[in-house]
Structure formats: C-alpha cells, structure tokens
Amino acid sequence: MAVTDQSQASELPPVLQRPSKGFRWIFALVVILLAFCAGGAYFWTNIETFAEAPPAHEIEAPTRGLSPEDRDVLLRIRSEQQKTAEEIAELNRNVDAQQAELKRISGQIVALIQRIDELQNPAPVVSPAPAPSSPPVRTTSRPAKRDVRPSKPQGAVSVGGAPLTAEPSTEQR
C-alpha cells in the first residue's frame, strides 16, 4: 500500500516519474555525435600536419621490419618518384621557355602586320601648293591610248568595194 500511496501522492504522470531507457540511448547518441563533430573540427583545422610527409629518418624506421626485397622495392619506388619529379620540373621549364618564345614570335608577327599595312596604305605626303600653270598629274598608271584614225582619202572612194577607174582630169581632155 505504501507504493500506491506514493504514486498517488505524486502529481507527475508515471512516464515522467522514472527515466526511460529510450532517453538514455538518445542522450548517449547525442554525446557520441558531439564527440565526432569535435574530432572532425580538430582534424579540419590541423589537416596540414596530417598531410605533411614525415622526415626521412621517420620513414626508414618502419622499413627496418620489412624484408630485404620489400626494402629494395621501396627504394626503387622512391628513386622513380625523384626521377619523375625531376622530369616534371624539366617539362615545366620547357613549357615556360616555349611560352616565352611564342610571345616573342607573336610580337614579331604583330610588328610585321603593322609594317605591311603601312606599306599598302602609305600616309599622304604634304607637299607645297601646286603651281597653277602646271596641268594636273594623274597618279594612276594607265597605258596611254593613241587615237589612231585612218587617213582621209583624197579622191573617189568606192563604197561597194569595186575598183574605181580614174576619171580623166580636165587637163588631159
């Protein structure tokens, strides 16, 4: 009877009188989620330290436990990486040199195009006022056409193409 009297004496509903198991699980999940978020934020702010390559003496320490064949393979891989890095650097230098050469050549082409335009369209030359007595000079060169006219005949002309007989002159009669 004491238990029933206690529960009746409490004004809270029975669900709220004792913490439920579901509430404990939700609280635990929230705490775990907050811990993961804090760890992710720390990782994100310090990513540079995680991404940096360790010094050479730290790399060699783990290789001590490897077999000689594995060490040889790792050494070959490192040497190939160094060669590849040198080749990439050389290629970058060549690309830079080619780009500089291309800029130089394009500058020369622009200068040549300007020079060609100047030669094709010469600038008008300012000359003193022309003398009024001189005739205007043509600037275009055209072949001179001769006006060739047949000479006028001095006598009778045959229109139909038949030969004409000479008329006796008045002196001969």
Side-chain angles (χ1 to χ4, degrees), residues 26-109:
I26 291 173
F27 182 72
L29 288 174
V30 168
V31 169
I32 292 171
L33 181 65
L34 287 175
F36 279 134
C37 289
Y42 176 76
F43 177 76
W44 186 259
T45 56
N46 297 319
I47 196 163
E48 298 87 24
T49 58
F50 293 112
E52 288 178 0
H57 62 81
E58 291 179 10
I59 291 175
E60 292 176 5
T63 60
R64 290 183 188 148
L66 297 176
S67 67
E69 296 99 20
D70 291 342
R71 282 189 222 147
D72 291 339
V73 169
L74 284 176
L75 288 175
R76 275 189 264 135
I77 289 173
R78 285 185 197 149
S79 66
E80 290 297 321
Q81 285 177 338
Q82 289 174 351
K83 287 179 186 178
T84 304
E86 291 171 1
E87 289 174 359
I88 289 173
E90 181 67 25
L91 289 174
N92 286 336
R93 286 190 295 270
N94 288 342
V95 166
D96 292 341
Q98 287 177 354
Q99 286 176 345
E101 183 71 14
L102 181 64
K103 287 179 183 178
R104 185 185 64 80
I105 290 173
S106 65
Q108 289 178 348
I109 289 174

Side-chain angles (χ1 to χ4, degrees), residues 2-25:
V3 175
T4 58
D5 290 336
Q6 260 184 345
S7 66
Q8 288 175 355
S10 172
E11 296 177 8
L12 294 173
V15 172
L16 296 177
Q17 289 178 1
R18 191 177 52 172
S20 67
K21 291 181 183 180
F23 178 72
R24 289 180 190 162
W25 282 104

